[in-house]
Amino acid sequence: MSTMSPEVVRRVIEQVVREVATRQQPNGAAGASPGVDGIFADMDSAIVAADAAWRSYMDCSMKDRARFVQTIRDVALKPENLEHMAREAVEQTGMGNVLDKIAKNRAAAELTPGTEDLITEAWSGDDGLTTIEISPYGVIGAITPTTNPTETVINNAIGMLAAGNSVVFSPHPRATKITHWLIRELNRALVAAGAPANLIVTVQNPSIENTNAMMSHKLVRLLVATGGPGIVNAVLSSGKKAIGAGAGNPPALVDATANIEKAARDIVLGSSFDNNLPCTSEKEVIALDAITDLLKFEMVKNGAYELRDPALIDKLVALVVNGRHAVTDWVGKDASVILEAIGVLAPAGTRLIIAEVPFEHPFVRVELMMPILAIVRAATLDQAMDWAVIAEHGNRHTATMHSSDVNALTKMAKRIQTTIFVKNGPSYAGIGIGGEGYGTFTIAGPTGEGLTSARHFARRRRCVLVGGLNVR
Ligand code: NAD
């Protein structure tokens, strides 16, 4: 039988005392219902508990924080948990594929920076010493998408707790069950590691009403929305500090100087990753006329199926596009399942459907998030760049380009202004999977934080000591 250290016992007692005290406060918290392992009946109770947890968390050392961050990584990286999260997310949301979801959850656990991301700045001189330290907001409200349900919780929880906050999650209703499972596991493990209970909370029944209640709750100091334009606009209109990680529609530009074989392989890998669910995945290809045939040929060699019959392409449009939106039932489905629905039997190993279409086509315009990739033929490099910029819709999210012309790569990166610009690699290299740099699942283009990490979930606070501690 394991015994609790006196330090852990002290924290548990403090936590209980704080929770009781908080429920007696005249701020709407009275009558708050207790949660179990971070899951609460109502939003107010969840937030009040997260606030109490944060106050307790402030007494923990940086070493404690680092340990708790490691606890989150350990929970996520248990092989049986990786498998469970991937299988259940596919089952419950009806989107994506298990192997890629395992890779995504692993990336979230391994590549998200922890406390080392919080760098202190200092000035010292005749007048003394001034520091800028990175300090928590308190309770953060985080809204997570159906496309990366557990990945975003792992990624946000690591970054937000590393920065000293607690977090209330508002998951997509379709991903509730697996998000609850993860939040329970994380709470149990964190408490066992000596962390305050309820650093990571949510509600039993996530809904738009609950998200709205979270957004307007006075104890929530920062909102972080990872999702489409609706929720990003909602947090930006909340009157609170907000980080918005919104939609993308990443173009992949391939010019005549590219290594076409490699470009084709990279694009198929990136675009078919988790059935095209990632916001970073290639959503359309703009290729120079001279190399388009070779590119398609090489893509087919790497698991793409080319749909050539215009009538079948129209049938596919009717199936998966509704006006300016993708039809949810087909988002993240396997390429073979989508093809079967239009009467095409896909060869074994098909990961991606490609179709050559004119630039104005819905497959270019709409963020499909399914393994269907438009191929557009451009006459000149300038036209290709113009089209790539238009197709990205000004989201400033992600673009890729395959080229060995440094000037062309530079020109394109300047023109498209995306947060992520991957040169000569699959799109996922941009979030640290096979590319240098840390990873994230919350890419804040609209609000400019870029690839978010602990430092973005924190406030910059200046401490000034006048006339001392300067040894220069
Ligand atoms: P979604 O916008 O439908 O939902 C995202 C979250 O917001 C969900 O939890 C949902 O319940 C909630 N929500 C949506 N509208 C709301 C409203 N009006 N009020 C309250 N809550 C609301 O998106 P999704 O289908 O779950 O995810 C896919 C979208 O997210 C795509 O557009 C994708 O590009 C984007 N995304 C962006 C990033 C990024 O880092 N920038 C990461 C993943 C996904």
Side-chain angles (χ1 to χ4, degrees), residues 13 83 108 150 196 255 268 289 291 295 371 406 431 471:
I13 292 170
E83 176 88 19
T150 50
D255 79 10
V268 171
D289 180 28
I291 50 86
L295 183 72
V406 172
I431 53 166
V471 294

Side-chain angles (χ1 to χ4, degrees), residues 52-72:
W54 168 59
R55 287 172 197 285
S56 193
Y57 194 29
M58 280 194 289
D59 293 336
C60 294
S61 66
M62 290 304 290
K63 272 198 182 128
D64 287 333
R65 275 198 217 172
R67 201 157 42 80
F68 302 151
V69 163
Q70 188 57 46
T71 301
I72 299 174

Side-chain angles (χ1 to χ4, degrees), residues 95 142-148 152 170-174 206-212 215 225-232 234 244-250 277-280 283 328 331 367 369 397 440-446 450 452:
M95 298 175 181
I143 298 139
T144 54
T146 182
T147 46
N148 306 328
T152 311
S170 196
H172 194 285
R174 225 175 318 132
S207 62
I208 288 189
E209 294 69 34
N210 270 323
T211 305
N212 289 338
M215 291 193 289
T226 309
I231 190 60
V232 169
N249 195 37
L277 287 181
C279 50
T280 43
K283 301 279 188 291
T328 309
V331 169
E367 187 197 22
M369 293 183 290
H397 197 297
T440 190
F441 281 83
T442 296
I443 299 152
T452 57

Side-chain angles (χ1 to χ4, degrees), residues 102-280:
I102 290 176
K104 283 167 61 182
N105 281 294
R106 184 188 295 286
E110 289 178 345
L111 301 176
T112 304
T115 50
E116 73 283 3
D117 198 48
L118 311 168
I119 295 166
T120 300
E121 291 168 38
W123 293 262
S124 72
D126 295 344
D127 286 336
L129 174 70
T130 294
T131 57
I132 300 273
E133 287 190 292
I134 305 209
S135 184
Y137 275 93
V139 182
I140 299 180
I143 298 139
T144 54
T146 182
T147 46
N148 306 328
T150 50
E151 300 88 327
T152 311
V153 169
I154 295 165
N155 168 252
N156 283 187
I158 290 175
M160 291 169 185
L161 266 60
N165 307 282
S166 61
V167 49
V168 47
F169 279 108
S170 196
H172 194 285
R174 225 175 318 132
T176 301
K177 218 171 121 201
I178 188 60
T179 309
H180 278 174
W181 176 87
L182 177 58
I183 288 176
R184 272 192 214 103
E185 292 293 312
L186 292 176
N187 266 285
R188 286 176 193 155
L190 284 168
V191 169
N198 301 319
L199 283 175
I200 303 172
V201 299
T202 190
V203 286
Q204 263 158 25
N205 297 307
S207 62
I208 288 189
E209 294 69 34
N210 270 323
T211 305
N212 289 338
M214 179 183 88
M215 291 193 289
S216 60
H217 201 290
K218 68 178 180 187
L219 292 177
V220 173
R221 298 300 195 121
L222 168 70
L223 293 169
V224 179
T226 309
I231 190 60
V232 169
N233 288 338
V235 295
L236 292 182
S237 316
S238 67
K240 291 188 186 207
K241 163 82 181 174
I243 295 177
N249 195 37
L253 198 160
V254 188
D255 79 10
T257 69
N259 174 343
I260 304 301
E261 227 172 87
K262 180 174 182 307
R265 194 170 57 242
D266 286 349
I267 293 170
V268 171
L269 286 172
S271 188
S272 63
F273 189 44
D274 204 20
N275 292 347
N276 198 254
L277 287 181
C279 50
T280 43

